[in-house]
Amino acid sequence: MVSVILAIDAGSSSIRCTGYEFTFGDQQSGGPFFAHNNDFVQPTSAPPSPVKEMDGISHTIRMASVVPNTGCVRIHEVLSAVDKCIDEVLGLLRQSTLVQNSSFQIVAIGFSTFAMNLIGVDVFGEPVGEAATLSYACNREDVVKECESLKSDLGPEKLQALYQRTGAPMHAAYATPQLLAFYSNEKNKSMIKQVAKWKTISSICVYRWSGNPFIQMPISYSEASWTGMFNFRKCSWDDEVVDILERCCDAVPRSEEDEDFDDEIDILPPLVDYDADLPFLRNGIPRFCDDRSENIYWARWPELRSSTVSLFLGIGDGAAANMGSKCGAYSSGSHRIAVTIGTSAAARVCLYRPMDNISTSANIIYGPDICIPPGLFCYRVDRFRILLGGALTDGGSVVEWARSLFNLQSPQAFDACMDQVSKMYQNRCTIASSTSCSPGGVTMIPFLSGERSTGFRGGARACVSGITRETTAVDIMYACLESVILRMGCVLKLVNEVCNSHQDEGDISSQGIIVASGNALE
């Protein structure tokens, strides 16, 4: 019998579910791979993968999950697409086993989601609506104003201390100013009354599948960390952020993994690690919901009924990209830096930094306490590891913008333009020009949706300069590509400086290794 893990990737431009064959440990009982413990052993290098992708067992739905600039999440469409992708992948597995005269069992479902995302839900755990959603793509004027007001109120010293605790600067891409803007908007009065909690896409899905249990569904450290409200050192909601939120929306969070989730809490959910060993995550899909109504997923997905099926909370897509490209935290000295260019773009390095006060049997010396340099972020992967890096809201989306602007939607027109861009690049390399301008004199600042790394300037705008009568679509497309590359170069320089500061003096073997991936590179 083939043991299968379903991996769900809820991205900003597509939703995907893929089947992976699980080839590690005791597959009949979930095995040690699924065990939640603190006996983390830091590998010297990327270990052999315990899974392999199954040929043809994948389904993707292309969609715009996030509205540009407003940052609103098309939550109902996203949830429907996730379920549809699982439908299709289970159908493909059934067909495959019939053809091969074999059988399969689902042993786990894992999640990667675009980060950050927060969804307002009602008392029944259902999303209130698109307007009650938050995401990384927000660059609205009212949110930018909330940022500036918070910066003024807190002052430089408190802002810096907050940055070092949460790993996130005060910026419109994070949840604190977005929540303040949501709760202070008079137009949201009726919606505010409906919002009982703020959850993530993955926690809403798991809540639905597990029969709407009478508990406060937690979210993972990883997803919470991307909100900018999470103390990544203590793995709890940050006390100062909570104080700020309490003044406008009475948020009383919970943060302990082993607490009783039956108690009443307010709008912020409890926090656990993505692999928390909670009963409702380790027994498959129940036949009945906690209110004794029939669970609709029982009949829809019979393969998920088994008690051997484990459900996992989501991790941020950046963390998943690092792990998937074998850019984890290894003790060999070398740092593997993951560069991903999709709709957005980012460069990240994973470091071993356990949460404060964790009891672990691993005797690992992991260097000095991390100090986050200006221009970068620092998020939790799990209770053992952090992710330090920088991101652009616009990566491949800059090319898509230019493609739409110049009516290059057909593959033939786009390919012809990119061929000319390639020739232009080759010509520039041949000439070895000393000018800093792109061919044609056109330059671009690629902040179509505002700036994150490295300046984190609220309300920043894109700019294309150097246009003349002779400027062509090829010139501007070249400038678009060049602008993203140059901005990523700035991020990589900062990440490399961190890597160099965490290596032995004179150890040239520990130079950073760049591993690039992403749909925009195809």
Side-chain angles (χ1 to χ4, degrees):
M1 179 177 287
V2 178
S3 294
V4 179
I5 295 174
L6 299 184
I8 298 164
D9 177 18
S12 55
S13 57
S14 67
I15 309 296
R16 178 185 297 108
C17 179
T18 304
Y20 289 83
E21 183 178 353
F22 182 49
T23 59
F24 179 81
D26 177 12
Q27 298 178 0
Q28 296 301 317
S29 61
F33 186 70
F34 298 144
H36 175 90
N37 59 61
N38 291 331
D39 296 330
F40 180 84
V41 177
Q42 186 181 22
T44 57
S45 59
S49 176
V51 299
K52 61 179 181 180
E53 185 173 349
M54 304 177 72
D55 291 339
I57 310 299
S58 183
H59 187 75
T60 300
I61 296 177
R62 302 286 180 187
M63 61 176 294
S65 304
V66 179
V67 181
N69 291 321
T70 68
C72 291
V73 180
R74 296 185 171 98
I75 184 60
H76 295 293
E77 291 89 338
V78 168
L79 296 177
S80 176
V82 169
D83 287 355
K84 178 65 174 175
C85 283
I86 295 177
D87 288 340
E88 294 298 322
V89 167
L90 288 177
L92 291 170
L93 283 167
R94 293 166 194 146
Q95 293 174 17
S96 176
T97 53
L98 281 174
V99 172
Q100 298 176 17
N101 195 26
S102 61
S103 59
F104 72 93
Q105 63 172 351
I106 305 297
V107 295
I109 302 179
F111 253 105
S112 159
T113 59
F114 61 85
M116 66 111 187
N117 71 84
L118 279 179
I119 313 299
V121 300
D122 61 23
V123 293
F124 303 106
E126 290 299 311
V128 170
E130 188 176 302
T133 61
L134 318 176
S135 83
Y136 73 93
C138 179
N139 193 39
R140 295 198 321 265
E141 185 177 348
D142 59 329
V143 177
V144 172
K145 287 181 178 178
E146 287 289 355
C147 276
E148 296 308 310
S149 177
L150 282 168
K151 289 177 183 178
S152 177
D153 291 346
L154 292 172
E157 289 187 8
K158 284 189 175 182
L159 277 174
Q160 177 62 15
L162 181 64
Y163 183 22
Q164 294 301 321
R165 293 194 308 271
T166 64
M170 189 60 67
H171 188 267
Y174 296 108
T176 303
Q178 291 188 44
L179 283 171
L180 293 178
F182 175 80
Y183 281 97
S184 62
N185 190 336
E186 289 291 322
K187 296 179 181 178
N188 293 336
K189 273 189 174 181
S190 61
M191 190 167 288
I192 289 170
K193 294 178 181 178
Q194 298 177 59
V195 175
K197 300 287 182 292
W198 291 91
K199 300 292 180 67
T200 60
I201 292 168
S202 71
S203 66
I204 293 172
C205 288
V206 170
Y207 179 75
R208 287 177 160 190
W209 301 339
S210 55
N212 302 345
F214 290 153
I215 51 88
Q216 298 297 340
M217 180 64 71
I219 68 173
S220 72
Y221 295 155
S222 177
E223 289 190 309
S225 193
W226 255 269
T227 67
M229 303 189 296
F230 176 83
N231 186 321
F232 76 88
R233 303 173 191 274
K234 296 181 178 180
C235 286
S236 63
W237 295 115
D238 186 78
D239 291 338
E240 188 163 24
V241 171
V242 171
D243 289 341
I244 292 171
L245 294 180
E246 280 182 333
R247 293 199 291 268
C248 76
C249 48
D250 193 29
V252 183
R254 295 274 294 280
S255 60
E256 293 300 325
E257 181 173 327
D258 57 354
E259 287 190 16
D260 180 2
F261 294 119
D262 291 332
D263 294 342
E264 182 69 21
I265 66 170
D266 259 314
I267 65 167
L268 295 181
L271 301 172
V272 298
D273 215 342
Y274 76 96
D275 62 345
D277 193 16
L278 301 172
F280 55 88
L281 299 178
R282 293 294 179 269
N283 295 309
I285 290 178
R287 180 170 184 175
F288 297 103
C289 299
D290 274 14
D291 62 3
R292 303 312 299 166
S293 62
E294 186 89 12
N295 185 353
I296 61 171
Y297 295 102
W298 176 264
R300 185 172 180 173
W301 300 332
E303 292 86 355
L304 305 188
R305 298 173 183 174
S306 172
S307 60
T308 62
V309 178
S310 294
L311 303 178
F312 290 88
L313 296 171
I315 64 172
D317 51 0
N322 269 66
M323 299 303 108
S325 55
K326 297 187 177 181
C327 295
Y330 310 126
S331 62
S332 60
S334 64
H335 294 286
R336 291 171 61 88
I337 303 168
V339 174
T340 52
I341 304 180
T343 303
S344 56
R348 301 165 295 261
V349 64
C350 186
L351 301 173
Y352 181 81
R353 292 295 183 277
M355 61 185 281
D356 291 352
N357 302 319
I358 189 171
S359 176
T360 172
S361 64
N363 184 22
I364 302 173
I365 299 174
Y366 55 89
D369 192 19
I370 192 75
C371 180
I372 308 161
L376 299 183
F377 56 65
C378 186
Y379 305 138
R380 271 275 157 206
V381 177
D382 54 25
R383 57 197 177 281
F384 303 110
R385 294 166 291 187
I386 59 172
L387 206 62
L388 191 140
L392 315 180
T393 301
D394 292 294
S397 59
V398 178
V399 175
E400 286 301 313
W401 167 80
R403 187 175 181 178
S404 175
L405 182 68
F406 294 110
N407 195 26
L408 301 173
Q409 302 292 14
S410 73
Q412 296 81 2
F414 181 67
D415 289 347
C417 178
M418 295 306 291
D419 284 343
Q420 291 299 310
V421 168
S422 180
K423 291 176 182 177
M424 188 177 286
Y425 173 73
Q426 292 168 6
N427 182 58
R428 183 177 184 184
C429 291
T430 302
I431 297 174
S433 173
S434 61
T435 180
S436 61
C437 293
S438 58
V442 180
T443 58
M444 182 181 188
I445 298 173
F447 302 151
L448 296 173
S449 305
E451 181 189 17
R452 285 195 279 169
S453 297
T454 56
F456 287 100
R457 287 173 294 181
R461 295 289 185 266
C463 177
V464 181
S465 64
I467 296 176
T468 68
R469 289 182 180 274
E470 288 72 38
T471 299
T472 67
V474 174
D475 294 321
I476 293 180
M477 183 65 80
Y478 189 105
C480 288
L481 291 166
E482 183 182 57
S483 66
V484 173
I485 292 168
L486 291 174
R487 294 308 304 169
M488 288 303 298
C490 294
V491 173
L492 280 167
K493 181 180 179 182
L494 291 175
V495 173
N496 260 318
E497 288 174 359
V498 173
C499 292
N500 293 336
S501 68
H502 286 77
Q503 69 183 35
D504 295 333
E505 188 174 350
D507 182 6
I508 61 172
S509 67
S510 55
Q511 297 298 315
I513 301 169
I514 295 175
V515 180
S517 63
N519 290 337
L521 298 178
E522 296 176 359

